[in-house]
Amino acid sequence: AVARVVATIGLLPEEITPEQYTDYFFTLTTSEDLSESSFKLAKYGIERYFECFDLPCPRAATPRRFKPQRLPVVPSESEMRSMLASTGGDLTAKAVLALLSGSAIRKAEALSMEIHHLDFDRDEIVVYNGKGAKDRSVPMDPILKRVLRAYLREARPERYLFESSPGVKQNAYFVEKILEHARMTCGITKHLTVHSLRHFAASYMSEHGVPVREIQKRLGHKRLDTTERYLHDLRSDRSDGWSNFGILADMYKGSRR
């Protein structure tokens, strides 16, 4: 590992500047061929070199692993419509996908949601004890409301919205399996995760004129810059109606389910 550093930079480890170490490790961590173990080998090899020669080790020579900033993979509107349509008469799968794509709540929040958190009279979903131990409410799309009501009539859960057995909430694999089945059924080749649906909802709201501050509130973000990282093709100059974005209404237009 040390020999590789020396060969790459052309200097002994004690002669390398902090800036050169930073550049070197950044290059390593952005390489698709590098594994976590390779990074650790390089880092600890250099650290051991300084220890053996009783030399002070620059902080830049033993960095944390950089996490490259990659754009999230997000389904398109047509892909989201296809996945929702692919659920057919499976009201459980339909409710899961509609809830996550139509409300932008987190996977853990959906799994922890209890029936009384759905306020059908006020058309809102109350998220209790979300990330950061914060409560918030998000609007309930009219179509999402219809889907959830149909699901509740059929599934009759006891306490949690999605249960593996009476009074016992489902696990993360339950949601992941539903999304993966829908993705494969529709022939979508993108590597979608459950979190992709949250990004989709945020992006859709942005593209349909919902102000960034409102999106921040619905996502439950403490910082505005966190919300901005979620948004693709941000269109902050739009000001048309945004009180309830209508992707679900578009997908279910004319449906009587």
Side-chain angles (χ1 to χ4, degrees):
V2 176
R4 182 179 177 182
V5 175
V6 172
T8 302
I9 301 179
L11 297 171
L12 293 173
E14 63 268 30
E15 298 172 333
I16 299 173
T17 66
E19 291 76 15
Q20 288 173 316
Y21 273 120
T22 299
D23 291 343
Y24 175 77
F25 277 105
F26 181 77
T27 301
L28 284 184
T29 55
T30 53
S31 170
E32 294 183 355
D33 299 327
L34 183 73
S35 66
E36 187 72 27
S37 59
S38 299
F39 175 84
K40 290 179 179 179
L41 186 64
K43 172 181 173 179
Y44 294 124
I46 294 170
E47 189 175 44
R48 181 63 178 161
Y49 174 92
F50 281 98
E51 288 178 358
C52 288
F53 290 96
D54 197 25
L55 296 170
C57 182
R59 179 177 297 179
T62 57
R64 297 178 180 176
R65 178 154 192 183
F66 288 95
K67 292 185 178 180
Q69 295 297 311
R70 305 196 187 281
L71 291 174
V73 180
V74 182
S76 66
E77 290 183 34
S78 61
E79 289 170 337
M80 197 67 243
R81 288 191 186 97
S82 296
M83 287 194 291
L84 277 157
S86 74
T87 60
D90 186 344
L91 291 180
T92 299
K94 193 185 299 292
V96 167
L97 295 180
L99 177 65
L100 293 170
S101 64
S103 69
I105 66 174
R106 299 177 177 91
K107 175 173 63 177
E109 294 169 342
L111 290 171
S112 298
M113 185 162 293
E114 300 184 26
I115 301 169
H116 68 89
H117 296 172
L118 304 174
D119 191 335
F120 291 110
D121 292 331
R122 301 184 63 178
D123 292 334
E124 67 179 18
I125 300 169
V126 183
V127 179
Y128 290 101
N129 199 31
K131 191 173 182 179
K134 295 183 296 183
D135 298 344
R136 72 182 189 282
S137 62
V138 295
M140 186 187 299
D141 182 286
I143 304 302
L144 174 58
K145 179 178 180 178
R146 185 191 306 172
V147 170
L148 290 176
R149 275 184 159 165
Y151 160 74
L152 289 172
R153 283 195 300 268
E154 179 181 272
R156 297 187 179 279
E158 191 172 279
R159 177 182 174 185
Y160 294 99
L161 182 58
F162 302 113
E163 297 183 338
S164 57
S165 59
V168 179
K169 63 183 178 181
Q170 280 283 6
N171 56 35
Y173 178 67
F174 159 78
V175 179
E176 293 160 2
K177 183 172 66 173
I178 287 174
L179 174 61
E180 182 62 9
H181 183 267
R183 184 189 70 81
M184 293 183 66
T185 299
C186 297
I188 298 171
T189 57
K190 292 177 180 177
H191 178 64
L192 299 178
T193 66
V194 176
H195 207 67
S196 298
L197 304 187
R198 185 166 155 86
H199 281 286
F200 166 80
S203 176
Y204 191 90
M205 284 189 281
S206 170
E207 292 169 4
H208 288 74
V210 181
V212 180
R213 290 287 183 184
E214 176 66 18
I215 299 174
Q216 177 189 7
K217 176 184 174 183
R218 296 188 189 186
L219 292 174
H221 288 157
K222 182 178 181 181
R223 295 170 56 90
L224 184 62
D225 59 354
T226 304
T227 304
E228 290 172 337
R229 287 199 298 271
Y230 270 68
L231 306 180
H232 289 252
D233 303 322
L234 182 61
R235 300 175 183 177
S236 58
D237 58 336
R238 294 191 55 171
S239 59
D240 48 321
W242 55 265
S243 61
N244 228 336
F245 66 99
I247 183 65
L248 296 180
D250 290 341
M251 287 185 288
Y252 287 94
K253 187 175 292 182
S255 170
R256 294 298 179 183
R257 282 196 194 113

